[in-house]
Amino acid sequence: TESDLQQVYRMSEIVVSIPSSDGFAVTIFEALACEKPIVISNLAAYKNILVDKENAQVLEHLDSTSLAHCLQELLSQPELESKLAANGRKTALEMGSLTEATKYMDHLYNQLLS
């Protein structure tokens, strides 16, 4: 249920979503809305919305060493973790709703097809 999801996000310190290909994952939007810092892969769908060290931690390389370094950096710098969480929440509010996120994804797909 939605309340179960909120509980899981509340218990999480950091949310990681690092697929090698994907659209804008709903889990990212949910984590941002719950004011959790996120670690994401460097995907085109995120380029205009999520900025490394501003509202997300962006992995350039999808390997365990890079992920471990990224998580260690966040966990050892509470001010960075707080900044990403707060700015991520602002990003979620600016996107407005899942409907707005869906419109943005549709826009990206249309750009790719043209």
Side-chain angles (χ1 to χ4, degrees), residues 13-57:
E13 188 163 342
I14 298 169
V15 176
V16 178
S17 179
I18 54 170
S20 58
S21 64
D22 199 358
F24 196 96
V26 173
T27 53
I28 295 299
F29 188 77
E30 292 168 342
L32 293 172
C34 290
E35 203 165 339
K36 294 298 175 178
I38 58 172
V39 176
I40 58 169
S41 45
N42 189 12
L43 296 178
Y46 304 143
K47 291 278 189 219
N48 295 324
I49 298 173
L50 301 173
V51 179
D52 190 38
K53 305 273 193 290
E54 288 300 318
N55 59 0
Q57 188 87 337

Side-chain angles (χ1 to χ4, degrees), residues 3-101:
S3 64
D4 291 336
L5 263 177
Q6 290 173 347
Q7 181 71 17
V8 169
Y9 283 115
R10 271 190 232 111
M11 293 184 320
S12 303
E13 188 163 342
I14 298 169
V15 176
V16 178
S17 179
I18 54 170
S20 58
S21 64
D22 199 358
F24 196 96
V26 173
T27 53
I28 295 299
F29 188 77
E30 292 168 342
L32 293 172
C34 290
E35 203 165 339
K36 294 298 175 178
I38 58 172
V39 176
I40 58 169
S41 45
N42 189 12
L43 296 178
Y46 304 143
K47 291 278 189 219
N48 295 324
I49 298 173
L50 301 173
V51 179
D52 190 38
K53 305 273 193 290
E54 288 300 318
N55 59 0
Q57 188 87 337
V58 180
L59 278 181
E60 293 298 323
H61 306 287
L62 294 181
D63 60 79
S64 58
T65 302
S66 296
L67 177 57
H69 174 75
C70 179
L71 292 172
Q72 182 179 18
E73 181 179 23
L74 275 173
L75 292 171
S76 66
Q77 296 181 41
E79 67 285 348
L80 177 60
E81 190 175 340
S82 294
K83 174 185 172 181
L84 297 182
N87 288 344
R89 171 84 172 148
K90 288 178 191 172
T91 300
L93 292 173
E94 288 168 4
M95 291 185 74
S97 68
L98 192 52
T99 302
E100 290 302 314

